[in-house]
Amino acid sequence: MENLPRDVAVDILSRLPVSSLVQIKCVCKSWRVLAEETRLPSIHHARATSRNPCLILNSACQIKNKLQFICSDQNSSKVRSLDTAMSEYQVVGSCNGLLCISNSYYYDPIVICNPIIGDYIKLPKSTQFPMQEVALGFGCLPTSMQYKVVRFVFYIKSEVRSHAEILTLGTDHTWRNIGAVPGRLELKPSQALVNGALHWVTLFFQYTPGPRLRVISFDLAEEKFRWIELPSFDCFSASNCHLVALEGCLSAVHHLGDKGIDIWVMKEYDVEESWIKKYTIGMYVPASLVENSRQQIYKVVNRTQEARESQSLNLSGLSMSG
């Protein structure tokens, strides 16, 4: 392996199962260096996506969050736990097989995880403000393969102010200030990485002209903000609208409560007229669950009725004195 050109060696490793890549690190020093090649996660991720997609599950437990990596290798599926060096965290985003997570309460530290080799790095501490609220994003430039983490801070200093910071992995040693944020974001990670930009759903107040819900995007290359209009659906809560990337297009999932969901797709990026409703998915409850639910309801009703009859008998047996 050491005598092969580096590109050839990386190409070979990118075709191996995740479990084999983890074992390769323990063979020798030169193989460990190859397994930690910076290009390997994105190349391996592209191949794995076309073969057997992997899943990363975040389990929010009361004592400690658990991050588990599920990958199908040939005829079997293996589950591995990932060490994040944090007990309470939120997943900021994933890109080309890399994960970005942050502390759930203080937003620091921010950590980049590589599930393939099980390693992680902590990013430098960012600027702290009194009474701050933070929205985060993580993405990659498709042209230069530069990974960037953005941090939007909203804090109170006689009035609500904002502060935007960005850090480029491998280039920046500290966070760079890029000015204010043109609007108030929901305090959660970005929801979709499309066309080299991160996207959030924002909620406008009633006195603001235009729709109450809009999308604010942040172009990772130009490091500039842009507004994008949502399709015309009756949605007045950012929690009922979730952005996703579907077939390379910016898409909006509109939650309809107990009626199901509508999925809208923007066929041409940043063109409001190109929004189309592509899917409508109704609510479905398996018949077995419905039957079990009915049985549970009958049991509760019967117990309640029996309790009332018992109480009635006890009361009728009491003697009145006076």
Side-chain angles (χ1 to χ4, degrees):
M1 186 73 76
E2 295 87 347
N3 298 327
L4 292 175
R6 195 173 187 84
D7 290 342
V8 175
V10 171
D11 183 75
I12 293 174
L13 294 183
S14 68
R15 301 171 189 272
L16 296 178
V18 174
S19 56
S20 298
L21 287 174
V22 175
Q23 294 171 355
I24 279 176
K25 293 176 57 181
C26 304
V27 174
C28 62
K29 198 171 191 179
S30 59
W31 282 33
R32 182 182 181 89
V33 172
L34 278 176
E36 295 177 349
E37 165 68 42
T38 55
R39 296 171 297 165
L40 183 58
S42 58
I43 299 174
H44 188 278
H45 176 72
R47 292 190 187 280
T49 303
S50 62
R51 298 193 309 265
N52 297 312
C54 300
L55 295 175
I56 295 178
L57 306 178
N58 179 27
S59 176
C61 302
Q62 293 183 348
I63 300 176
K64 182 178 180 180
N65 286 29
K66 293 182 180 179
L67 204 61
Q68 294 179 316
F69 181 64
I70 304 176
C71 186
S72 297
D73 296 341
Q74 297 174 350
N75 297 324
S76 63
S77 296
K78 296 183 179 180
V79 179
R80 293 195 299 113
S81 296
L82 302 180
D83 183 15
T84 60
M86 281 186 282
S87 57
E88 295 289 341
Y89 58 85
Q90 63 173 342
V91 177
V92 177
S94 63
C95 186
N96 296 329
L98 296 181
L99 279 179
C100 178
I101 62 175
S102 73
N103 183 279
S104 300
Y105 301 110
Y106 307 105
Y107 313 105
D108 264 326
I110 300 175
V111 174
I112 306 296
C113 298
N114 186 335
I116 293 179
I117 59 177
D119 286 347
Y120 60 88
I121 60 171
K122 289 185 179 181
L123 302 188
K125 287 282 186 178
S126 52
T127 308
Q128 297 292 322
F129 297 90
M131 299 181 67
Q132 67 175 17
E133 296 176 337
V134 179
L136 298 168
F138 171 65
C140 176
L141 291 172
T143 53
S144 62
M145 293 302 295
Q146 284 185 316
Y147 292 87
K148 294 187 178 184
V149 181
V150 294
R151 184 175 184 271
F152 305 142
V153 185
F154 302 90
Y155 58 98
I156 298 176
K157 190 176 182 181
S158 72
E159 61 180 2
V160 177
R161 298 187 180 183
S162 63
H163 179 89
E165 297 178 318
I166 190 168
L167 187 143
T168 303
L169 300 184
T171 302
D172 296 333
H173 300 288
T174 57
W175 293 84
R176 290 184 288 112
N177 184 358
I178 54 175
V181 183
R184 183 70 179 268
L185 302 183
E186 291 292 305
L187 300 177
K188 55 186 178 183
S190 61
Q191 297 176 351
L193 174 61
V194 178
N195 205 43
L198 299 170
H199 301 81
W200 292 261
V201 175
T202 64
L203 177 63
F204 280 77
F205 296 101
Q206 293 183 352
Y207 58 78
T208 304
R212 291 189 61 188
L213 281 183
R214 276 181 171 177
V215 174
I216 185 170
S217 70
F218 180 78
D219 190 290
L220 291 172
E222 298 180 358
E223 299 184 357
K224 293 181 179 179
F225 294 94
R226 177 188 299 172
W227 294 106
I228 297 178
E229 299 295 340
L230 280 167
S232 300
F233 51 66
D234 295 329
C235 184
F236 303 100
S237 173
S239 61
N240 291 333
C241 181
H242 189 80
L243 301 177
V244 296
L246 184 62
E247 298 176 352
C249 298
L250 180 64
S251 305
V253 180
H254 180 203
H255 297 268
L256 305 173
D258 58 359
K259 296 180 180 179
I261 61 173
D262 286 337
I263 300 179
W264 294 73
V265 177
M266 179 178 267
K267 302 298 290 185
E268 188 175 350
Y269 186 75
D270 200 21
V271 177
E272 182 182 358
E273 294 75 18
S274 68
W275 281 109
I276 62 169
K277 187 196 292 186
K278 192 164 184 178
Y279 302 103
T280 296
I281 303 175
M283 292 291 291
Y284 170 74
V285 179
S288 59
L289 293 181
V290 174
E291 186 61 29
N292 290 336
S293 298
R294 288 174 179 171
Q295 293 177 2
Q296 293 298 326
I297 292 174
Y298 292 151
K299 288 181 180 179
V300 172
V301 172
N302 290 335
R303 289 174 182 172
T304 304
Q305 185 65 28
E306 291 174 358
R308 288 177 178 174
E309 292 176 355
S310 176
Q311 185 177 17
S312 177
L313 290 174
N314 292 335
L315 290 176
S316 63
L318 294 176
S319 59
M320 301 296 294
S321 59

